[in-house]
Amino acid sequence: MTRQTWLRDRATGAYLLDVFREPHDGDIWICRRDPAIRLPYSAVIRRTASGIPYLAPELVLLFKAAHTRPKDQRDFAATLRLLSADRRSALAGFLDLTHPGHVWLTELRRGGPCAPTRSQGTSGAP
């Protein structure tokens, strides 16, 4: 099964676009690392105030957790404080399923400062 498609400029050979294909069931995204993780696309694809779509930060970190390279660790540290308690909890649950004992789990469960949840009056992301 092809999971990734690259679009290249024939003249320069430069890669222009990288498209990931993920399993789904209708409007439900299925995590390729653990099919028990299923979310409606409305939770997977977030939007900025101006409508620009982006992948939910907790899912970006889920994919980055597989390797935990220095750049992934920096992204985790920079993003963690921006995640609401609900999103931290979701990421911890995803990591429990896909990467039990992952080094990020301790920090995710520690608590610490985090962004308020939408129900606390925020809008948009992360």
Side-chain angles (χ1 to χ4, degrees):
M1 172 183 191
T2 302
R3 293 188 177 152
Q4 188 173 6
T5 301
W6 292 84
L7 176 65
R8 286 179 39 173
D9 182 316
R10 287 186 183 188
T12 66
Y15 289 100
L16 304 174
L17 183 66
D18 182 8
V19 178
F20 286 90
R21 297 187 212 156
E22 295 291 321
H24 64 92
D25 182 7
D27 290 340
I28 302 295
W29 168 78
I30 303 169
C31 180
R32 67 176 179 237
R33 295 208 174 127
D34 189 325
I37 300 172
R38 294 168 178 253
L39 296 169
Y41 275 111
S42 61
V44 171
I45 301 168
R46 313 293 298 175
R47 296 197 180 272
T48 66
S50 57
I52 299 169
Y54 64 95
L55 183 62
E58 61 274 23
L59 296 178
V60 172
L61 290 173
L62 173 61
F63 287 111
K64 288 178 158 285
H67 302 290
T68 319
R69 302 163 293 194
K71 69 179 188 171
D72 302 320
Q73 185 59 42
R74 285 189 303 272
D75 289 344
F76 173 75
T79 305
L80 182 61
R81 65 185 176 78
L82 302 174
L83 293 178
S84 67
D86 290 344
R87 290 186 185 202
R88 284 184 186 195
S89 178
L91 177 57
F94 300 153
L95 290 175
D96 280 335
L97 290 171
T98 59
H99 306 288
H102 194 282
V103 66
W104 292 349
L105 285 167
T106 300
E107 204 162 345
L108 282 166
R109 292 192 170 116
R110 182 177 301 148
C114 60
T117 63
R118 282 183 173 213
S119 63
Q120 293 171 314
T122 65
S123 63

